[in-house]
Amino acid sequence: MAKLLEKIVWALSLALTASIIAYTWYITAPAERITITNMPILLDGRIFLPLPQKVSELTVEETILLRRSIREYTSEPVNLSDLAMILWAAYGITEPRLGFRAAPSAGATYPLEIYIVVGERGVKYSEGFLDEGVYKYEPHSHTLLLVKRGDYRRALMNAASGQSWVGEAPLNIVICAVFERTTRVYGERGRVRYVPMEAGHVGQNIYLMATALKYGAVVIGAFNDDQVAKTIGSKLEEEPLYIIPIGVPRRQPKTSFEDIWEYIESRR
Ligand SMILES: Cc1cc2nc3c(=O)[nH]c(=O)nc-3n(C[C@H](O)[C@H](O)[C@H](O)COP(=O)(O)O)c2cc1C
């Protein structure tokens, strides 16, 4: 009887030790990276974007000079690291203590949500291409969250009165607004002024970072809101404000400060 009791105690302590080891491993092991359809993706469906860093050679004034609305693109993809910089410039974190962003926001209410619509072979990284689909940018963790799979560029183009550059660009950014975040503080003024102004700041940041990295972009305001929202699968409270196709320009815009001097001088 004593022997049996001893065996049971042994078995129980062995089981307890094994559970403690398994539990400790479970809570301390790093999140496992697995590959689904050739895309680095975490178990919970998030893509970790390359971290923001100094990348461009152009100064701010050169970038402003070269910024143009570009509507014709080659078939080349956008690099994931460049897309990461464009998203960071749009609405990424630039002040870690308070979580402030790359664009100013009335009362730091941050009403905007950024989606991207990636076409087939539209975004490349070292081991392949991002799956075509709709993704949402999460600024705090600098990650992309897969919303839905599939190439939705044509549907987005149809929602934008058939503007061909939407369908032809390797990717489109869609800026949406949750107006309530700002109107709960500022009322109607938040809806008609502050939120659209903020979308303008974000749009310009996207233009400038895209230009600095030798991509072309154009902001699109003409579209059917409901059709765009349905296409990207945004939440009911997220209203689309801007579509921004981005791609490698067929022709790089050419201008110089000398050209601008000539223009100004001739008007003095
Ligand atoms: C609010 C707003 C809405 C716009 N909507 C469209 C649009 O729907 N389609 C388009 O091709 N360009 C659109 N544009 C881009 C303008 O056509 C472009 O900025 C203008 O022609 C000046 O050219 P630039 O941007 O190269 O300086 C829009 C620009 C703004 C500011």
Side-chain angles (χ1 to χ4, degrees):
M1 185 64 184
K3 275 243 155 87
L4 182 64
L5 212 61
E6 198 180 310
K7 268 189 186 160
I8 290 171
V9 170
W10 241 102
L12 281 176
S13 57
L14 209 68
L16 187 69
T17 313
S19 336
I20 289 170
I21 291 170
Y23 181 68
T24 312
W25 177 83
Y26 175 73
I27 59 169
T28 56
E32 186 191 351
R33 259 176 204 279
I34 58 167
T35 300
I36 299 172
T37 61
N38 198 30
M39 181 164 76
I41 191 167
L42 280 181
L43 285 173
D44 61 0
R46 284 184 308 151
I47 294 164
F48 289 127
L49 292 170
L51 295 175
Q53 54 189 291
K54 182 179 164 19
V55 282
S56 78
E57 297 301 322
L58 293 183
T59 63
V60 176
E61 60 273 22
E62 287 168 324
T63 310
I64 290 171
L65 179 70
L66 288 173
R67 183 211 63 82
R68 279 278 68 80
S69 290
I70 305 285
R71 300 178 182 82
E72 287 180 44
Y73 318 102
T74 69
S75 56
E76 289 164 83
V78 172
N79 287 319
L80 183 65
S81 54
D82 295 336
L83 173 61
M85 285 308 297
I86 292 168
L87 291 171
W88 175 78
Y91 221 38
I93 301 297
T94 52
E95 209 287 347
R97 211 166 40 86
L98 299 167
F100 286 177
R101 316 276 181 94
S105 177
T109 48
Y110 299 113
L112 305 180
E113 297 290 337
I114 315 275
Y115 285 82
I116 58 166
V117 176
V118 176
E120 192 185 351
R121 293 177 163 254
V123 175
K124 120 176 147 198
Y125 65 101
S126 53
E127 281 121 51
F129 293 89
L130 275 199
D131 279 356
E132 58 265 37
V134 179
Y135 300 81
K136 195 173 186 180
Y137 179 56
E138 205 294 293
H140 294 284
S141 56
H142 196 52
T143 50
L144 286 179
L145 192 71
L146 180 64
V147 177
K148 56 186 197 178
R149 283 181 201 281
D151 192 338
Y152 287 93
R153 288 176 302 170
R154 179 161 278 277
L156 198 62
M157 178 183 80
N158 292 337
S161 325
Q163 298 188 64
S164 57
W165 30 99
V166 175
E168 287 161 9
L171 74 88
N172 285 261
I173 292 178
V174 182
I175 302 176
C176 297
V178 180
F179 282 89
E180 217 271 317
R181 285 183 203 153
T182 306
T183 56
R184 90 163 69 101
V185 183
Y186 299 106
E188 182 64 3
R189 200 172 175 80
R191 195 183 64 79
V192 297
R193 294 215 182 178
Y194 297 168
V195 173
M197 284 170 175
E198 187 167 330
H201 296 307
V202 170
Q204 183 75 354
N205 280 4
I206 291 171
Y207 259 128
L208 293 181
M209 185 50 80
T211 305
L213 295 171
K214 307 278 164 49
Y215 293 97
V218 54
V219 291
I220 305 259
F223 53 78
N224 179 298
D225 301 357
D226 293 340
Q227 250 178 287
V228 171
K230 195 164 164 249
T231 302
I232 62 172
S234 55
K235 294 181 191 156
L236 207 61
E237 67 274 21
E238 297 171 339
E239 299 180 40
L241 292 181
Y242 254 158
I243 300 174
I244 310 180
I246 296 175
V248 176
R250 262 194 209 286
R251 286 170 299 278
Q252 286 286 353
K254 276 201 186 71
T255 184
S256 67
F257 281 112
E258 284 77 4
D259 292 342
I260 310 305
W261 297 340
E262 202 177 303
Y263 177 95
I264 293 172
E265 294 291 0
S266 70
R267 281 160 183 78
R268 284 189 163 173

